[in-house]
Amino acid sequence: MTNSAQVILYDDGYFKDVSRMYWALKVYGHEQVSLLDGGYLAWLKSGFPVTQTIPQVTPSGYIPTLDPDHLTTLFSARLASSSNSAQIIDARVHEEYIGESSKAQRFGHIPSAINIPSALNYQLVDGVPQLKSFTELEKVYASLDKSKPVIAYCNKGKESAITHMVLSQLGFNVSVYDGGWIEWGNHQSLPIVNKSNANSN
């Protein structure tokens, strides 16, 4: 594969793995990246051919170039949270956002973050997950300001990668806080917000 090659990605159809790969390629400077909407499930449902042949991959002279615009660190996320220099989206389910459940030691969300779960980006069509139309997705993110940067996070980076992919297509300047809640929620000195304490530390 060359740096200018068109890359088409697909997964089981629920976008988490494929969006994470999309984000990773963007971080490493690859611009020509597309997703197969509905993934492998949609391909099968459409009756397109499949194969069990494993392609032979040969090494290439591919040279990645880091693009920091797609990646947010803990320091940058903390700065954005305290200064409102960027809009922060928590892409986890609502129960995790308000602190009813957590995959980290602490429960809640990053201060100033708004909750837009990643599942709002797609819907089931005849049992196959498909991205909503651009018009519907614009409504999902209607509260955001396109002139202001967006930082998306979740637990480990897959849900936020879906948000990143969608917002990139909608014309937002968006990055992923890759450490996510697993990093922030396990860091005892960082501020958190949950439903029982609006400023718990």
Side-chain angles (χ1 to χ4, degrees), residues 40-187:
Y40 189 62
L41 294 178
W43 185 271
L44 290 177
K45 200 171 186 67
S46 298
F48 295 138
V50 297
T51 181
Q52 294 182 340
T53 302
I54 300 176
Q56 296 298 314
V57 179
T58 56
S60 70
Y62 188 91
I63 302 175
T65 303
L66 183 64
D67 184 350
D69 289 341
H70 296 278
L71 177 64
T72 291
T73 63
L74 173 61
F75 175 81
S76 297
R78 187 171 185 179
L79 180 63
S81 174
S82 62
S83 67
N84 289 318
S85 58
Q87 304 161 104
I88 303 178
I89 296 177
D90 186 324
R92 300 175 299 162
V93 298
H94 187 65
E95 291 75 16
E96 291 179 312
Y97 175 77
I98 63 177
E100 288 184 351
S101 63
S102 179
K103 292 181 172 62
Q105 294 177 11
R106 301 190 298 161
F107 292 67
H109 62 269
I110 296 174
S112 81
I114 62 173
N115 186 215
I116 306 179
S118 65
L120 294 179
N121 292 302
Y122 59 87
Q123 58 196 352
L124 291 179
V125 179
D126 296 328
V128 177
Q130 292 185 348
L131 289 172
K132 294 179 179 178
S133 68
F134 270 31
T135 299
E136 292 172 308
L137 290 171
E138 288 277 10
K139 292 178 181 178
V140 170
Y141 296 101
S143 63
L144 299 181
D145 180 355
K146 279 193 176 182
S147 67
K148 192 174 181 180
V150 178
I151 297 172
Y153 79 93
C154 57
N155 283 305
K156 296 182 178 180
K158 288 190 175 182
E159 288 93 347
S160 54
I162 300 176
T163 301
H164 169 272
M165 181 270 296
V166 169
L167 288 181
S168 294
Q169 298 302 310
L170 293 177
F172 284 86
N173 174 12
V174 57
S175 62
V176 171
Y177 167 36
D178 194 34
W181 187 248
I182 295 301
E183 181 176 48
W184 192 287
N186 286 322
H187 202 306

Side-chain angles (χ1 to χ4, degrees), residues 2-22:
T2 65
N3 298 67
S4 60
Q6 175 69 50
V7 178
I8 300 174
L9 308 171
Y10 71 89
D11 60 9
D12 61 0
Y14 283 90
F15 303 105
K16 288 185 179 180
D17 294 323
V18 74
S19 293
R20 180 69 175 176
M21 186 64 179
Y22 175 96

